[in-house]
Coordinates of all heavy atoms in Angstrom, one line a residue:
C838 N -33.0 5.3 -22.6 CA -33.3 4.8 -21.2 C -34.2 5.7 -20.4 O -35.2 5.2 -19.8 CB -32.0 4.7 -20.4 SG -30.9 3.3 -20.9
Y839 N -34.1 7.0 -20.6 CA -35.0 7.9 -19.9 C -36.4 7.7 -20.4 O -37.4 7.6 -19.7 CB -34.6 9.4 -20.2 CG -35.5 10.3 -19.5 CD1 -35.3 10.6 -18.1 CD2 -36.5 11.0 -20.1 CE1 -36.1 11.5 -17.5 CE2 -37.3 11.9 -19.5 CZ -37.2 12.1 -18.1 OH -38.0 13.0 -17.5
L840 N -36.6 7.6 -21.7 CA -37.9 7.4 -22.4 C -38.5 6.0 -21.9 O -39.8 5.9 -21.9 CB -37.9 7.5 -23.8 CG -37.6 8.9 -24.4 CD1 -37.4 8.9 -25.9 CD2 -38.7 9.9 -23.9
K841 N -37.7 5.1 -21.7 CA -38.2 3.7 -21.3 C -38.2 3.5 -19.8 O -38.4 2.3 -19.4 CB -37.4 2.7 -22.1 CG -37.7 2.7 -23.5 CD -37.1 1.5 -24.2 CE -37.6 1.5 -25.7 NZ -37.3 0.2 -26.3
G842 N -38.0 4.5 -19.0 CA -38.2 4.3 -17.5 C -37.0 4.4 -16.7 O -37.0 4.0 -15.6
G843 N -35.9 5.0 -17.2 CA -34.7 5.1 -16.4 C -34.9 5.8 -15.1 O -34.4 5.4 -14.0
Q844 N -35.6 6.9 -15.1 CA -35.9 7.7 -13.9 C -36.7 6.9 -12.9 O -36.4 6.9 -11.7 CB -36.6 9.0 -14.1 CG -36.8 9.9 -12.9 CD -35.5 10.3 -12.3 OE1 -34.6 10.8 -12.9 NE2 -35.3 10.0 -11.0
D845 N -37.6 6.0 -13.4 CA -38.4 5.2 -12.5 C -37.5 4.1 -11.8 O -37.7 3.8 -10.6 CB -39.4 4.4 -13.3 CG -40.6 5.3 -13.8 OD1 -40.7 6.5 -13.3 OD2 -41.2 4.9 -14.8
L846 N -36.4 3.7 -12.5 CA -35.5 2.7 -11.9 C -34.7 3.4 -10.8 O -34.4 2.8 -9.7 CB -34.5 2.2 -12.9 CG -35.1 1.3 -14.0 CD1 -34.0 0.9 -15.0 CD2 -35.8 0.1 -13.4
I847 N -34.3 4.7 -11.0 CA -33.6 5.4 -10.0 C -34.5 5.6 -8.7 O -34.1 5.3 -7.6 CB -33.1 6.8 -10.5 CG1 -32.0 6.7 -11.5 CG2 -32.7 7.7 -9.3 CD1 -31.5 8.0 -12.1
D848 N -35.7 6.0 -9.0 CA -36.6 6.2 -7.9 C -36.9 4.9 -7.1 O -36.9 4.9 -5.9 CB -38.0 6.8 -8.4 CG -37.8 8.2 -9.0 OD1 -36.8 8.9 -8.7 OD2 -38.7 8.6 -9.8
E849 N -37.0 3.8 -7.8 CA -37.3 2.6 -7.2 C -36.1 2.1 -6.4 O -36.2 1.6 -5.2 CB -37.7 1.5 -8.2 CG -38.1 0.2 -7.6 CD -39.4 0.2 -6.8 OE1 -40.2 1.2 -6.9 OE2 -39.7 -0.8 -6.1
A850 N -34.9 2.1 -6.9 CA -33.7 1.7 -6.3 C -33.5 2.6 -5.0 O -33.2 2.0 -4.0 CB -32.5 1.9 -7.2
R851 N -33.7 3.8 -5.1 CA -33.6 4.7 -3.9 C -34.6 4.4 -2.9 O -34.3 4.4 -1.7 CB -33.7 6.2 -4.3 CG -32.5 6.6 -5.2 CD -32.6 8.1 -5.6 NE -32.6 9.0 -4.5 CZ -31.4 9.3 -3.8 NH1 -30.3 8.7 -4.1 NH2 -31.5 10.1 -2.7
A852 N -35.8 4.0 -3.3 CA -36.9 3.6 -2.3 C -36.5 2.3 -1.6 O -36.6 2.2 -0.4 CB -38.2 3.5 -3.0
I853 N -36.1 1.3 -2.4 CA -35.7 0.0 -1.9 C -34.6 0.2 -0.9 O -34.5 -0.5 0.2 CB -35.3 -0.9 -3.0 CG1 -36.5 -1.3 -3.8 CG2 -34.6 -2.2 -2.4 CD1 -36.1 -2.0 -5.1
L854 N -33.6 1.1 -1.2 CA -32.4 1.2 -0.3 C -32.7 2.3 0.8 O -31.7 2.6 1.6 CB -31.2 1.6 -1.2 CG -30.8 0.6 -2.2 CD1 -29.8 1.1 -3.1 CD2 -30.3 -0.7 -1.5
N855 N -33.9 2.8 0.9 CA -34.2 3.9 1.9 C -33.3 5.1 1.8 O -32.8 5.5 2.9 CB -34.2 3.2 3.3 CG -35.3 2.2 3.5 OD1 -36.4 2.4 3.1 ND2 -34.9 1.1 4.0
L856 N -33.0 5.5 0.7 CA -32.2 6.7 0.5 C -33.0 8.0 0.5 O -34.1 8.0 -0.2 CB -31.4 6.7 -0.8 CG -30.3 5.6 -0.9 CD1 -29.7 5.5 -2.3 CD2 -29.2 6.0 0.1
G857 N -32.6 9.0 1.3 CA -33.4 10.2 1.3 C -33.0 11.1 0.1 O -32.1 10.7 -0.6
P858 N -33.6 12.2 0.0 CA -33.4 13.1 -1.2 C -32.0 13.5 -1.4 O -31.6 13.6 -2.5 CB -34.3 14.3 -0.9 CG -35.3 13.9 0.1 CD -34.6 12.8 0.9
Q859 N -31.2 13.7 -0.3 CA -29.8 14.2 -0.5 C -28.8 13.1 -0.3 O -27.6 13.3 -0.4 CB -29.6 15.3 0.5 CG -30.5 16.5 0.4 CD -30.4 17.1 -1.0 OE1 -29.3 17.3 -1.5 NE2 -31.6 17.4 -1.5
D860 N -29.3 11.8 0.0 CA -28.4 10.7 0.2 C -27.8 10.2 -1.1 O -28.5 10.0 -2.1 CB -29.1 9.6 0.9 CG -29.5 9.9 2.3 OD1 -29.0 10.9 2.9 OD2 -30.5 9.3 2.8
I861 N -26.5 10.0 -1.1 CA -25.8 9.4 -2.2 C -25.7 7.9 -1.9 O -25.9 7.1 -2.9 CB -24.4 10.0 -2.4 CG1 -24.5 11.4 -2.6 CG2 -23.6 9.2 -3.5 CD1 -25.0 11.8 -4.0
S862 N -25.4 7.5 -0.7 CA -25.1 6.1 -0.4 C -25.9 5.7 0.8 O -26.3 6.5 1.6 CB -23.7 5.8 -0.3 OG -23.1 6.5 0.7
T863 N -26.1 4.4 1.0 CA -26.8 3.9 2.2 C -25.9 4.1 3.4 O -24.7 4.2 3.3 CB -27.1 2.4 2.0 OG1 -25.9 1.7 1.8 CG2 -28.1 2.1 0.8
E864 N -26.6 4.1 4.6 CA -25.9 4.3 5.8 C -24.8 3.3 6.1 O -23.7 3.6 6.6 CB -26.9 4.3 7.0 CG -27.7 5.6 7.1 CD -28.5 5.6 8.3 OE1 -28.2 5.0 9.4 OE2 -29.6 6.3 8.3
D865 N -25.0 2.1 5.7 CA -24.0 1.0 5.9 C -22.9 1.1 4.8 O -21.9 0.3 4.9 CB -24.6 -0.4 5.9 CG -25.4 -0.7 4.6 OD1 -25.3 0.0 3.6 OD2 -26.0 -1.8 4.6
G866 N -23.0 2.0 3.9 CA -21.9 2.1 2.9 C -21.9 1.0 1.8 O -21.0 0.9 1.0
L867 N -23.0 0.2 1.8 CA -23.0 -0.9 0.9 C -23.4 -0.5 -0.6 O -22.9 -1.0 -1.5 CB -24.0 -2.0 1.4 CG -23.9 -3.3 0.7 CD1 -22.5 -3.9 0.7 CD2 -24.9 -4.3 1.4
F868 N -24.3 0.4 -0.7 CA -24.8 0.8 -2.0 C -24.8 2.3 -2.2 O -25.0 3.1 -1.3 CB -26.3 0.4 -2.2 CG -26.5 -1.1 -2.3 CD1 -26.9 -1.8 -1.2 CD2 -26.3 -1.7 -3.5 CE1 -27.1 -3.2 -1.3 CE2 -26.5 -3.1 -3.7 CZ -26.9 -3.8 -2.6
S869 N -24.6 2.8 -3.4 CA -24.8 4.2 -3.8 C -25.5 4.1 -5.2 O -25.4 3.2 -5.9 CB -23.5 5.0 -3.9 OG -22.6 4.4 -4.8
V870 N -26.4 5.1 -5.4 CA -27.1 5.2 -6.6 C -26.8 6.5 -7.3 O -26.8 7.6 -6.7 CB -28.6 5.1 -6.3 CG1 -29.5 5.3 -7.6 CG2 -29.0 3.9 -5.6
E871 N -26.5 6.5 -8.6 CA -26.2 7.7 -9.3 C -26.8 7.6 -10.8 O -26.7 6.5 -11.4 CB -24.8 8.0 -9.3 CG -23.9 7.0 -10.1 CD -22.4 7.4 -10.1 OE1 -22.0 8.5 -9.7 OE2 -21.7 6.5 -10.6

Side-chain angles (χ1 to χ4, degrees):
C838 288
Y839 182 80
L840 291 174
K841 291 193 173 189
Q844 184 62 53
D845 293 338
L846 293 178
I847 289 175
D848 296 341
E849 184 69 13
R851 292 180 63 75
I853 291 168
L854 298 170
N855 296 314
L856 291 172
Q859 301 303 315
D860 295 335
I861 299 290
S862 59
T863 56
E864 284 185 28
D865 60 6
L867 192 57
F868 290 98
S869 59
V870 178
E871 65 180 352

